[in-house]
Structure formats: structure tokens, C-alpha cells
Amino acid sequence: MKQILFLSLFLIICCKKEPILSVYDSGTLPKLEVNIDEKYLWSADSGLYVIGSNGIALESCGNIIANYNQKWEYKAKIQYKENDIILFDDYVGLRIKGNCSRANSMKSFGLYWKQKYGSSYLDYPIFQNNPANSYKRLFVRNSGNDFGRTQIKDISVASIIKNHINFEFQDYKQCVVYLNDNYWGIYNIREMLTRHHFENHFGFPKENIDLLEGSELNPEADDGTIDGYMNGVVDFLENNSLENEDNYEHISSIIDINSYIDFIIVNTYIGNRDWPNNNVKWWKDRTNSMSKWRWVLFDTDASFQLSRVEEVWIGDLIGDGSRWGDYQNTDGSFYIFNKLIQNSLFKEKFLNRYLYIIEHVFDKHRVQSLILKNKNNISLEYNNFQTKWGLRSKSMWENQVSKMIEFNNQRHDIMKKIINKLLNEES
């Protein structure tokens, strides 16, 4: 009897479906409908949405053993609509994506176009004013660590920097998702940062792409190999001072200095506390002599925190990283930057560019307008989303968005004062 009771409790815990509420969308956002065999969502042995009985643990997320941590991929049918007009209708592979946010009831997932499912790519320009018009992969994001808070933080950073910076990022489209005909809430469709992305945007063959991540001193290869970077960048920086102009010119021929400068400026300005040794990627074509290492911005949910608006850390230039996020003590934080600022020309270039980005990219009125645009896009949908998942009230949500705007208003003045002071010390 005890065994039967235990088994019953186990099945409830591992296989319970999310409560299905009678919620429908407002019709104000694009709609992504996903249909997949129910066993691939809720079954104990293969369900993507449950703790289940066949899981693994992610060390960085509390070592919870769960099915949703697996990299399983299952066939699903998707249909995308705008204004009730079907714009694409495909079979794809579906995987759960994200890191610790996998534990949320509303999970992020990836869509994978492969010939075995029907089409090898999506032939549709889903993102407005984006040069790419076809995709092998798309990321349907629950807003990560910002889930249930503002739901727009990461995409607002993307909208602020778009067309104004020299590094790569993920474009976005706000939408609602239905999962097996059940309303599932507000998501952001994003570009996915794989080697296909760089082939798509730059024309480099995907098999030639080295995509690295993590510590600048001890990176890992997300794709390709670390050899070219370690031999060409780290070994050179370890053995040559960049105070020497010839050495600085050499490293400038390997690293896209403008890309690196903008990457450091944006992350330090927005106060990205899940960085610099986490959420870092950089890439190049290892076979093309004209290709330089360029940086990629993603997952900025731990930024724009009003309670920490006065905290500043820009490597050895200014500030203290001892209280900055969870990754500040890892070898490699600001490794390249701390080498580059040995060169006076680089330091002057960096500070002048920082001031320009403060005044033009993070202009107070401009940032407020872009944040409010993203907020207004989902405002009429928010009550449905709140009802579905039992999130904070609409007034509390609006207050969280207002704090993002206030962060930039204060950060703008704080950083402008700091950078001007550093420039005056240089002159």
C-alpha cells in the first residue's frame, strides 16, 4: 500500500501538467502556435516540461535533476500569424533552451529547421529591417531571468543598440505563444547565436567559424576551436606590451578593436552583472585573413538595476569588481581590456567613444521612447499573461518598467561625469 501511495505521489510530481486556464490572447501581437505530441511535454520518461524520471542536472542551477535540462529534440508543427494571416507553417525540431530559467513553468525553446522534418530552413524575413531573410534556427525566449518582471529588458537593450554599435546581437519580435492550442503567454522570438547566424549575416561558411565563450583568458569553444585565439591573441598578449605601437598595431590586425570597445562600453554602462565571465561570446572565420575577432552581446537580463545604478566597474580603468555579480573572481575578467589600456591611443579612443555612446545611444529621451515602445506593444496583452501565470499586477509591472527608465536617466549622468573626469586626466 505504501509503495502504491509513493508511486502515485511520484507521478503527480514528475508528470503533472501545467494548469490549463481559459485564457486567450488580445489579438494585438503576432501569434506562434506550437503543436507537439503530449508525451513529449508531460511523460515521465521523455517529457520536456517535467522533472520526470530521465533527467540530468545543470551544475550552475542547483543540481536539480530534471528532464527539462536534457538537450532532447522532438518534431513539432508550428504556425506563425500576424493579423490572423498565416505567414509560415512548418515542421521543425523543438528543444528546451536557456539555463536556470528552464525551471520556469513557461520555458524558452529553440526551433530547428532540418530536412528530416520537412524544410532545411525558414524562408521568411521575420525581423523588421534585418538583412537576413532566412533562418536555420530561432530562439523563442521567455525573457530569461526577467520572466515575470518587465518581460522587455533584454529586447530593450537590443532595440537601444541596434544600428548604433559594432558588435553582433540578437534581433527580436514580440509575440504570444499557444502550446497545443493552450495560451502560453508573451514570448520574444530571437535570432539564435550559432555558427549558422554568422554564415547568414556575413557569408562565411559555417564550418569555418570559431565561436568562443566564457573567460577571455581560458575560453571554451561553443563551435570550432580555441587554438587560433589562444595562439594568436592570448600568447601574444602574454609576451608583448601594448605600450609599444607596433605590438598594438599587430593585435589590432587580429581583434576588431571597434567591436571590442563597443562591447565593453555597453556592458559596463548597462551594469550587466551576469558578466564579464558569463554571457560572453566572440567569433571569427579561422580561414579568412580579413576576418578579425568580433564580440556578441546576449542575455542582458541582469542589467538596468536601479538599486545598483551607482556601481561602476571598467576593469583596471576604474571601479572594483569584488561585489559585481557572481563571476568577478574568475580568471580572465577584462583580460584583453586591461592589456589594451596600457596603450594611450587605445585609452583615449575608448573614452571618447564611451562619451559618444552615452550622449547618442543612451540619450535619455531616446531610451525612454524605445522602452515605452516595447512596453506598449505588450500592454494590452499583459492581463492575459498575468492571469495565465499568476504574475505581478499590471501596476506593479508598469512600476518595474519605470525603474528601467529611471536607471538610464541616472546612469547617463553618472557615467558622463566619470568618463569626462577620466578624459580630463588623460589630457
Side-chain angles (χ1 to χ4, degrees), residues 91-102:
Y91 286 97
V92 297
L94 185 145
R95 300 182 203 170
I96 298 299
K97 299 290 287 184
N99 198 21
C100 299
S101 65
R102 289 168 177 257

Side-chain angles (χ1 to χ4, degrees), residues 1-14:
M1 184 67 180
K2 288 183 179 179
Q3 289 179 325
I4 295 173
L5 179 60
F6 175 79
L7 179 60
S8 299
L9 290 172
F10 172 76
L11 290 172
I12 290 171
I13 292 171
C14 78

